[in-house]
Amino acid sequence: MGGDLLRGALPGGPDTAGTRPGAEPRPAGTPKIVGIVWGLLVLNTLGSAGAKTIIPLPRSLIQMVTMGALVAAFALALSVNLRLRIRPSAFVLLLTLLLVPSVISSVNLESGFGALFRCARLALFIGTLWLLSRWWDGSLTFVRHHIRMYFAVLGSVAAGLVISPGAALPELYGGRLVGALWPLPPPQIGQYAAVIIGLTVLLVVGRRIDRAGAAVVIVPSFVLLALTHTRTATLGMFIGLALAIGSLILTSAAARRFFTWAVLCGVVAAVGFASALRAWFLRGQSQEYLTSLTGRAKVWDALLAAPRTAGEKVFGMGLGDKSFGGLPIDNSWLAVYQEQGLIGVTLVAAIIIVLGGVALLRPPSLQRACAIFLISYCAIASYTEAGLGDASPYLLHLALAASLLAAPAAATPLSTSEAPRRHIPRWARKSEVT
């Protein structure tokens, strides 16, 4: 079973063929092309800015690749869903509503023509999610796609580390791991590693993959996470896992055992490696610098103090590069306020609240636990990372959570022509007539 995760075979899945006793025929399973579409969405959200790569890649070329991936994803999703069959989704509906303040604020061109380009990108991203919603049935199919694609991205990071350690651990980033083949900054690498570690751990707890298969994903991902020195991703992973596994404690003995061992290991690590953990957490920074969130607070204060018109407060100033005064905002809520105004902040908050509320109302299950992990991780990361208001990995994580919380597809009833006909003896037919 060690290769089940990468091959896509999960035991105990839905009986899509209707082979179990009493099972009814269900809609056909997810086409393989849907996994390709999900991978293209991952490629689109990788971004185009970061560290210097071993082979210099022009930003225009990277943007062409990422935008081309989104166009291809939309085209492929449309090709397998020509009848435009979609499933109701409050998550995608709220994202669609988020387009309204984005377009209203962007048409003023205060952020340049790039704002309209970003609106078109967000519209394509949301349209692709609508087309994929047809296959959102509460199964773990998209979890496998998510882990597989981000593990491939981390594989490219590891390859860059092996080929050129100096380029992968540059002094410019304080010796933190960056993408040497594709320009990925440390926070992004840490995010990808933390998310697939958390999801894989939950699959182990749910007995959907054996420990050897999980170790292939978890061990190298954890090493890369440690090399990035990304505090937000690490804290988000541990807190998200605690909440997700906690949701299974009452119904899963494996979850109770894992939680107990995790607490014991955590206590031992905190006592025995306190100084090493503190050094890793501080990253050579002073306590004062850490208190100001590595300088982020100054940007946040300046952003909030900047004068705005009533329209800019309500609708924002248009989709930009998530910066203010040439410095990154590094806060999803302030970035949304800057670009999509108070309406955008309200809609993003509604997304988190709706997904979290639905997760709490669902009965305990592995799918619910994975959704809780993703929602809590994104909520925690939103404090020091931007991305909840535009096409980004964070929206892709939340889309995965929405697919896990979707109700299973209803059984497809047999038509009269498809219903099996039993042989009725002639004498029985006579008696029915009489």
Side-chain angles (χ1 to χ4, degrees):
M1 191 187 289
D4 287 347
L5 180 62
L6 299 181
R7 289 197 301 266
L10 284 179
D15 183 23
T16 55
T19 55
R20 296 177 188 165
E24 296 183 57
R26 293 185 179 274
T30 305
K32 291 183 179 180
I33 199 170
V34 170
I36 298 175
V37 172
W38 197 261
L40 290 172
L41 289 179
V42 169
L43 177 58
N44 171 252
T45 57
L46 289 184
S48 58
K52 294 182 179 179
T53 54
I54 299 173
I55 300 176
L57 300 175
R59 186 173 181 182
S60 57
L61 174 62
I62 298 174
Q63 289 177 330
M64 187 183 304
V65 171
T66 55
M67 193 60 196
L70 180 58
V71 174
F74 181 81
L76 288 176
L78 185 61
S79 69
V80 293
N81 194 2
L82 287 175
R83 295 187 179 183
L84 303 182
R85 294 177 178 174
I86 60 176
R87 297 197 65 187
S89 172
F91 167 74
V92 189
L93 176 61
L94 289 170
L95 276 186
T96 306
L97 294 177
L98 189 61
L99 271 175
V100 176
S102 303
V103 173
I104 291 176
S105 58
S106 297
V107 292
N108 294 325
L109 298 180
E110 290 188 25
S111 300
F113 286 99
L116 292 178
F117 176 82
R118 293 183 181 94
C119 285
R121 175 177 176 241
L122 180 59
L124 271 179
F125 183 85
I126 296 172
T128 306
L129 292 181
W130 271 122
L131 293 171
L132 292 180
S133 67
R134 175 185 178 183
W135 293 280
W136 291 1
D137 57 359
S139 69
L140 295 169
T141 300
F142 286 92
V143 172
R144 294 195 300 269
H145 296 323
H146 212 63
I147 295 175
R148 187 182 301 117
M149 296 312 304
Y150 280 118
F151 189 66
V153 174
L154 292 181
S156 71
V157 174
L161 178 62
V162 172
I163 295 172
S164 179
L169 299 168
E171 289 298 327
L172 179 63
Y173 283 86
R176 300 170 65 190
L177 180 65
V178 300
L181 298 181
W182 186 276
L184 295 174
Q188 268 194 311
I189 299 173
Q191 175 200 158
Y192 304 153
V195 168
I196 67 172
I197 289 171
L199 291 176
T200 306
V201 166
L202 291 174
L203 291 182
V204 173
V205 173
R207 297 180 179 178
R208 297 304 179 95
I209 181 176
D210 61 15
R211 295 176 184 177
V216 173
V217 176
I218 294 174
V219 173
S221 299
F222 198 85
V223 171
L224 296 181
L225 174 60
L227 290 175
T228 63
H229 287 263
T230 307
R231 296 179 289 240
T232 300
T234 305
L235 289 176
M237 179 187 71
F238 284 123
I239 296 174
L241 273 176
L243 295 174
I245 295 175
S247 70
L248 294 171
I249 283 180
L250 296 178
T251 58
S252 171
R256 290 191 291 271
R257 288 194 298 270
F258 184 90
F259 191 82
T260 301
W261 279 106
V263 170
L264 291 175
C265 292
V267 171
V268 172
V271 174
F273 303 96
S275 59
L277 291 174
R278 186 175 183 277
W280 181 90
F281 192 80
L282 288 176
R283 293 194 319 228
Q285 299 169 348
S286 66
Q287 193 72 33
E288 181 181 354
Y289 194 60
L290 180 63
T291 304
S292 68
L293 295 171
T294 60
R296 291 183 176 96
K298 296 180 180 179
V299 180
W300 298 348
D301 293 340
L303 185 150
L304 292 173
R308 301 172 190 273
T309 65
E312 290 171 346
K313 289 181 180 179
V314 175
F315 297 105
M317 305 182 71
L319 292 183
D321 59 357
K322 313 297 177 288
S323 67
F324 180 80
L327 296 174
I329 297 174
D330 286 340
N331 180 290
S332 283
W333 304 100
L334 292 179
V336 171
Y337 174 65
Q338 168 75 6
E339 298 181 355
Q340 290 137 314
L342 293 174
I343 293 180
V345 172
T346 302
L347 289 172
V348 170
I351 289 173
I352 299 295
I353 293 171
V354 168
L355 286 176
V358 172
L360 292 177
L361 293 175
R362 288 282 188 270
S365 66
L366 178 58
Q367 288 86 341
R368 175 189 183 231
C370 290
I372 289 175
F373 168 76
L374 292 166
I375 297 167
S376 57
Y377 179 88
C378 291
I380 294 168
S382 67
Y383 187 64
T384 57
E385 296 291 335
L388 287 183
D390 203 350
S392 69
Y394 290 106
L395 285 190
L396 209 54
H397 301 331
L398 292 178
L400 176 58
S403 75
L404 290 166
L405 296 173
T412 305
L414 291 173
S415 63
T416 307
S417 60
E418 293 174 338
R421 303 185 65 180
R422 359 173 239 184
H423 175 69
I424 303 177
R426 185 172 296 178
W427 62 267
R429 297 180 194 172
K430 275 189 177 182
S431 62
E432 289 177 351
V433 173
T434 56

